[in-house]
Amino acid sequence: MKIEGIVSNIRYRNDESGYSVMTLVTSDSDITIVGTMPFFNEGDRIEVIGDLIYHDKYGEQLNIKNVRLKKPSDRESIIKYLSSGNIRGIGKKTAERIYNVFGKDSLDILYNNPEKLIEVEGIGKKKLEDIKLSAEETKDSRKSLEYLQGLRISYNLAMKIYNKYGENTIDIVKSNPYKLIEDIKGIGFNMADSLARNMQMESNSPFRISAGLRYVIDYEADFNGHTSLEADYLIEEAAKLLKADKNLIAAQIETDLLSGKLELVEIKEKSYVYSKGLYKAEKSVAINLAKKIKEPYIFDVSIDEDLTSYSKEQKIAIENAFENMFLVITGGPGTGKTTIINAITKILDKNDMTYALAAPTGRAAKRMQEATDSDAITIHRLIGIRPDLTIAEYNEENPIEKDYIIVDEVSMVDIYLMKSLLDAIGESTSLILVGDSDQLPSVGPGNVLSDILNSPAKSIRLKKIFRQAGESNIIVNAHRINEGKYPFLNQPDKDFFFIDTNSFGFQNTLLDLIANRLPNFYKFDPIKEIQVLSLSKKTQWGVDSINKAIQEAINKEKNFLKVNDKVFKLYDKVMQIRNNYDLRAQNYVANDDGVYNGDIGIVIEIESNEESLKVEFDDGKIVKYKKEDIRDLDLSYAITVHKSQGSEFKCVIIPMMQVAPMLLTRNLLYTGVTRAKKLVILLGDKRYIKKMVDNDKANDRNSNLSYWIREMESILADWLFIFRWQ
């Protein structure tokens, strides 16, 4: 709803955030307005757009979405504004005199040419200075916000920009709107480019081309996992984006290289361009790993454990864990990775050595803890990443004081997280990385685990499948898929099935499985124990469509909350899609360090009036979500295979339907299958199973980590040689 009125009472204002509670006098009645707003004064006439809500304690309120100052235009409102008490030195009589002299221009004179007020009877030099100072206190924010909203920037975003730049807002935006990309969360290249067009900025502006280059690099990092791009490819893609001459783009790359915005590396006669951040991260990881590889083993460990029950591969892995400061253990499902971790921790306990177990996500850490019966935490918690700290608590200056650190599910770790982890590990700490290199790489940039395995680092690859695991077709088929062999389907008394259906029958078959067949036959809880892992997000068999259909089919609750285009019902299964370190549990739980991308929970409470809900996550954590936080929640009856990494589910259903060819890959199917503990169902067309098994060409990533590790190791070896001869 839209209303207009005069601010009569400012009941609360946070000068830092701009959050305010005010009484607005309208032609009909008084109403309380709440939300983030600019610096208004009592007596200001404003236009407000917002939602009418009812607060249990404070009654009816208008929760504002947009607000703008309306200039008083008639004699009465101008005089009322001037004499409101907000402008020091102006009472009602003085206000009337000002209006008598300047009329409808009175406010423009006040804010833009206050020196002229000396012409008004009763205003001397001292009073004039008071008036000027008082007017100046609110002038900048008003002008800035009017300017930004004139550029079609939303009110909330305009407030963010002003809070960042203050009185310099207009000058900064006018000179280089692309600077907003770096400084203001929520502004990307497209928005900045739209602003620039509104301001008639030249399309070949160096600011624009530089921002376009950074956009291409960041896009390829976020969506394709590249840590760098070949120079020719970068020029080509930037030219398409900007519709600019390639020579201009090449010249701007040179300029940005000289200024330090970009980095260029020549590797095997190819030129790779990095953003500064990715270059630093990859080099830092390489240096730290090269040091670890070269470090001599410093501990005196007695292996009293009887190793005769372990396989040859497992024995080698366990022994190497006590011979190297850095070790990588990799293998597929059923190869005994967890058994090795348990053996290592048992030996560490017997030798009174300290250690920490960690994984990239809360779900993966929980699995690790259940499997080892030892405390396990997220990497974020291990290194002390917190919203109130600019760097992690544990870093190069303050390393973690543990003898050993063991990290599971390392395939999920991107280059940034690996940098933070290695920064936090000192020379006297041994590091063991465990993971499955055949799974999908991390969502973030880099191909960390595979690159390390292709470096001189000590690694053990487990291949033997143990008898118990071999009895499961989930395990057998996972390895067959990984080897490029067609999986065994629909064998009696097994746990791996294919159900044939076409695009017309897909949804009905899927819903029947979830709502009826699987709960009735296997006693699976349709919400908590059955997980659809889709290959894609869009299309009619993608995540978005499936979630809506499942929600409608199995959740009949009438209590719901709609936020933008998302609808959440009581008892819906939901997933956090971004890390949020500020969200804390309302109940006491161990390791309460925020909510992470990929955490899954159930909606247990909905407050429609205040537009909030509560979610109970798998680890028992109960978190309250306010409206602004709910945008980071999605329904999770169906999730992408990528989002499932590090998780396990009793039953997994994977649609085998037409998607983009780039998604029909072997490692995508392999990763999806390995998420299941009890049952796998492939639903759709057999042709796509074959296409995925036959396609071993996973999307290659530009990542030079293995090259850098070799380079750094070589440099360290040279240094050691020189040192020995000195």
Side-chain angles (χ1 to χ4, degrees), residues 110 196 199 292 296 348 442 448 488 508 533 683 709:
L110 172 67
M199 296 161 55
K292 276 290 174 200
L348 290 171
S442 58
V448 173
F488 297 126
N508 286 337
L533 299 183
L683 177 64
I709 294 173

Side-chain angles (χ1 to χ4, degrees), residues 547-692:
N547 271 321
K548 288 178 183 176
I550 295 176
Q551 184 191 53
E552 187 176 331
I554 69 172
N555 191 345
K556 304 301 183 180
E557 283 289 330
K558 303 297 183 186
N559 191 0
F560 72 92
L561 180 65
K562 186 174 183 181
V563 178
N564 297 326
D565 59 341
K566 297 180 180 181
V567 176
F568 298 102
K569 295 182 180 181
L570 192 63
Y571 307 125
D572 269 339
K573 181 160 67 172
V574 294
M575 172 182 277
Q576 178 77 12
I577 59 173
R578 291 181 188 84
N579 292 341
N580 189 328
Y581 310 119
D582 293 324
L583 286 174
R584 299 301 175 99
Q586 291 196 315
N587 56 328
Y588 175 78
V589 292
N591 305 331
D592 183 18
D593 53 351
V595 185
Y596 293 89
N597 184 4
D599 286 352
I600 292 177
I602 303 293
V603 177
I604 60 169
E605 186 178 306
I606 289 177
E607 285 287 344
S608 300
N609 290 332
E610 62 177 38
E611 295 187 283
S612 68
L613 54 79
K614 289 182 183 177
V615 177
E616 183 173 2
F617 288 97
D618 288 347
D619 60 358
K621 183 186 299 181
I622 297 174
V623 178
K624 182 174 181 177
Y625 282 76
K626 296 179 181 177
K627 184 179 178 180
E628 59 268 25
D629 300 314
I630 295 175
R631 68 181 187 277
D632 293 338
L633 282 178
D634 276 346
L635 292 176
S636 63
Y637 300 103
I639 60 176
T640 62
V641 176
H642 286 85
K643 284 286 189 184
S644 74
Q645 288 177 269
S647 301
E648 274 191 343
F649 311 95
K650 280 192 176 181
C651 175
V652 163
I653 303 173
I654 306 176
M656 290 288 105
M657 305 295 286
Q658 179 63 63
V659 293
M662 62 185 297
L663 295 173
L664 294 171
T665 62
R666 183 186 299 173
N667 67 341
L668 194 67
L669 181 58
Y670 172 80
T671 302
V673 167
T674 57
R675 301 305 89 203
K677 292 194 290 185
K678 299 287 187 182
L679 183 67
V680 169
I681 295 175
L682 305 182
L683 177 64
D685 189 329
K686 273 187 184 178
R687 290 179 301 165
Y688 298 114
I689 303 175
K690 188 172 187 312
K691 284 185 178 183
M692 295 184 80

Side-chain angles (χ1 to χ4, degrees), residues 388-422:
D388 57 327
L389 297 175
T390 54
I391 61 171
E393 179 183 357
Y394 296 102
N395 49 61
E396 291 171 307
E397 302 299 320
N398 180 36
I400 298 167
E401 294 182 358
K402 297 288 184 183
D403 297 322
Y404 269 71
I405 289 174
I406 304 172
V407 183
D408 199 8
E409 296 285 359
V410 180
S411 63
M412 299 175 65
V413 177
D414 65 24
I415 196 70
Y416 291 122
L417 186 56
M418 182 56 72
K419 177 189 182 300
S420 297
L421 174 64
L422 292 173

Side-chain angles (χ1 to χ4, degrees), residues 9 27 198 289 367 442 500 522 556 600 602:
N9 182 20
S27 56
N198 291 340
L289 284 177
R367 281 182 56 209
S442 58
D500 187 38
Y522 290 98
K556 304 301 183 180
I600 292 177
I602 303 293

